[in-house]
Amino acid sequence: MPRFGLVSLQCFPTLFRSPGTSIGPLLLSIFNSLLKHLRTSVDFERSVKCKDTEAEKLYQEALINAMGDFANALPDYQKVEMMMFTVGNIPSLDEKRFRQGDEFLQHVLVKTLLKVATKYRTAYLATVFTDSFLRTLIQLALVNDSQVRLGTQKIFHTLLDRHDNLSHLSHLPYVLDVSDLQLTVEKCSRADQMFMRKHIHDMTQMLYRAVTLVVNDENLQSHMDAIQCTMSLLCIEVGFDETLIELFRLAFALQTLAVDLSNGFSTEKRIALHNLIAKYMNLAAQLMANPSLCQHVQQVVACRARGPPGLNLLLDEKDDRVQVGGTVEAVEQVELSKLAEVEGMLFDRNDVADCLKAAGKDVSRLSQPFTLSSSKSAQEKGVDDTDGKTSPFLPMAGIDDVSVDLSVDWTPPESAHQSRRSTIFSLTTSNPRINGIGLPLTVAALRHYANTPPDLAEEDRKEREHTELVLASIRNRSFEDQADELCARHEAGDLSRTVSRLLARNADTVRMANIGRPAKPKNIFEMNLPTAFAL
């Protein structure tokens, strides 16, 4: 495959600024070509043939910017297609099939996906966060590469932020009055509520696992800020009761994680995690306009003035003193390992539940412990540990295995079982395993089948067979036969010819019906009156 130079690449964005010039499969073909060049560049950079790594990285950045400009010129629905297409090119996240070099390719493609996502403005979450797309993003948020995890959180940020609040939330400090941030908050739509009821548990578990994967390095605070920003955006964009309760459950689970000394977290990570929880609780309490909850948060933050300097959000940066009102007071510090032993240093689940209950919220789930559910064990047992609900897994059936019985029994209504009023659409399957169990096929099962990605090998095989068939037809048949067949097919399907033929036939019918009838006068002055009216 020929590789473009940096100079020729600079003309790519100018070609993509007119969205009306290309439609349909040509768009995917162009975008696929850019992705292939990017993959080739990544492989070339990691090979021994690459002599100038910096130039190759510059080439990759130019390609990523070109794809971003390309997506910017497209309508929103095609931007979603481009993001799905990019996700489909990310290497498999299965550790058993992970190849050498795929980790670096993941990093580059996540940057590409982020570039395309910044050009898209989300309307409804279900439109962009399809099951397969969201599942891939959650997997990317939990990979070993810290830069990929951070980039994935930024993708969540740009797709969740619909009111331009990201600039205020990306590095949110502890603020006494959230109204100073001038955040834009609107009521969550019904469609987004349905989406979050289905996926909020997956997202909170992803955030919990992402916290455990944060390493103690120079990017520690960046990762914590990114996770806090995702929680804040969920609170603002889809902040209805169920989402808020699940986010509070996540906050208390993270607090338990921060005080647990057996997990091996460093002091810096524990302090950053405590601050993350405090800043989120402060934001959520003020956005909910719950005075009692705001008071509880302020009391905990004030008590932490006696904690380590990094934990004190009210600390004066010049010295170890706390700014309280108009006075500056010296404080006696409490060790980080003894926070749980000192009253008022941690957020109390019961106090928060009472505050939410007083505001009319259903807090029954807040008391349930936040536990992680393993995907394999959950599938085997059919139980979602996080939800605490039992959901038996139904066997899947393909579309070819399902037949819909639409017959109606016309037996008189005296028979209750054979009455037409009790006839329903029944699903029967030819799969013996499903028939043996006797379970019906559900909408969830059909949705899972529809969202299952296609088999790429099978698609390639079908495409090759179609190509061979076309080539064989061109090689073995004369040009005249092919032209005659094409003309006949075109004439049979030509709409204008069909309309003309129907109009001509209708004109002949009218003409035959008017044979023998006197000609109609053109106007009233040509009508002959009866002789009785003659003067």
Side-chain angles (χ1 to χ4, degrees), residues 245-302:
I245 294 299
E246 293 302 323
L247 290 174
F248 278 122
R249 290 182 63 212
L250 173 63
F252 283 111
L254 294 178
Q255 180 175 258
T256 303
L257 189 66
V259 298
D260 186 5
L261 301 179
S262 62
N263 50 32
F265 287 175
S266 63
T267 301
E268 292 78 7
K269 184 174 180 179
R270 295 182 190 278
I271 292 177
L273 187 53
H274 278 297
N275 291 338
L276 181 154
I277 299 165
K279 288 184 284 188
Y280 170 75
M281 296 284 284
N282 177 60
L283 175 68
Q286 295 194 43
L287 289 178
M288 295 173 63
N290 192 320
S292 57
L293 184 57
C294 292
Q295 183 180 5
H296 175 67
V297 173
Q298 293 172 4
Q299 289 175 353
V300 173
V301 172

Side-chain angles (χ1 to χ4, degrees), residues 36 43 87 109-110 115 120 122 125 133 301 318 330 359 405 428 493 528:
K36 286 182 178 179
D43 295 337
V87 166
L109 290 179
V110 166
K115 188 70 175 181
Y120 177 75
T122 304
L125 298 182
F133 184 62
V301 172
K318 296 181 180 180
D405 184 10
T428 59
N528 295 323

Side-chain angles (χ1 to χ4, degrees), residues 181-433:
L181 300 177
Q182 297 182 353
L183 299 174
T184 303
V185 183
E186 294 182 359
K187 185 178 180 181
C188 180
S189 65
R190 185 67 176 272
D192 288 341
Q193 291 183 20
M194 295 176 61
F195 173 82
M196 292 308 298
R197 286 191 180 99
K198 179 180 179 183
H199 296 291
I200 183 59
H201 308 295
D202 297 331
M203 300 186 74
T204 53
Q205 287 203 21
M206 177 270 294
L207 293 171
Y208 183 89
R209 295 177 188 271
V211 169
T212 61
L213 293 175
V214 176
V215 295
N216 187 23
D217 56 10
E218 64 276 5
N219 296 321
L220 170 65
Q221 193 59 45
S222 298
H223 284 271
M224 289 297 184
D225 288 344
I227 295 172
Q228 176 189 336
C229 183
T230 305
M231 295 175 62
S232 302
L233 284 171
L234 289 174
C235 177
I236 293 175
E237 296 292 341
V238 284
F240 68 107
D241 292 355
E242 295 183 23
T243 301
L244 293 175
I245 294 299
E246 293 302 323
L247 290 174
F248 278 122
R249 290 182 63 212
L250 173 63
F252 283 111
L254 294 178
Q255 180 175 258
T256 303
L257 189 66
V259 298
D260 186 5
L261 301 179
S262 62
N263 50 32
F265 287 175
S266 63
T267 301
E268 292 78 7
K269 184 174 180 179
R270 295 182 190 278
I271 292 177
L273 187 53
H274 278 297
N275 291 338
L276 181 154
I277 299 165
K279 288 184 284 188
Y280 170 75
M281 296 284 284
N282 177 60
L283 175 68
Q286 295 194 43
L287 289 178
M288 295 173 63
N290 192 320
S292 57
L293 184 57
C294 292
Q295 183 180 5
H296 175 67
V297 173
Q298 293 172 4
Q299 289 175 353
V300 173
V301 172
C303 288
R304 289 183 178 180
R306 296 180 294 163
L311 191 64
N312 188 358
L313 297 176
L314 302 176
L315 180 66
D316 189 6
E317 296 181 356
K318 296 181 180 180
D319 50 22
D320 294 341
R321 293 183 295 176
V322 180
Q323 185 76 23
V324 180
T327 62
V328 178
E329 301 178 358
V331 295
E332 180 182 357
Q333 293 184 355
V334 177
E335 295 182 4
L336 183 63
S337 59
K338 298 182 179 179
L339 285 182
E341 302 175 3
V342 180
E343 184 179 359
M345 299 291 285
L346 299 178
F347 295 100
D348 187 83
R349 187 188 299 265
N350 295 327
D351 291 346
V352 173
D354 293 339
C355 296
L356 296 176
K357 188 175 182 180
K361 308 294 183 183
D362 183 9
V363 296
S364 58
R365 285 189 55 81
L366 188 61
S367 59
Q368 298 181 9
F370 186 94
T371 55
L372 296 177
S373 61
S374 175
S375 58
K376 292 184 179 180
S377 61
Q379 290 179 2
E380 292 173 357
K381 298 179 182 179
V383 177
D384 187 351
D385 295 336
T386 304
D387 294 342
K389 301 176 182 177
T390 302
S391 55
F393 285 84
L394 301 180
M396 297 300 299
I399 294 297
D400 296 335
D401 298 330
V402 179
S403 61
V404 182
D405 184 10
L406 301 180
S407 60
V408 178
D409 193 345
W410 292 94
T411 306
E414 284 76 10
S415 174
H417 296 284
Q418 299 296 330
S419 173
R420 187 178 63 165
R421 292 191 295 268
S422 63
T423 303
I424 61 173
F425 295 98
S426 61
L427 289 173
T428 59
T429 63
S430 59
N431 192 333
R433 184 177 61 178

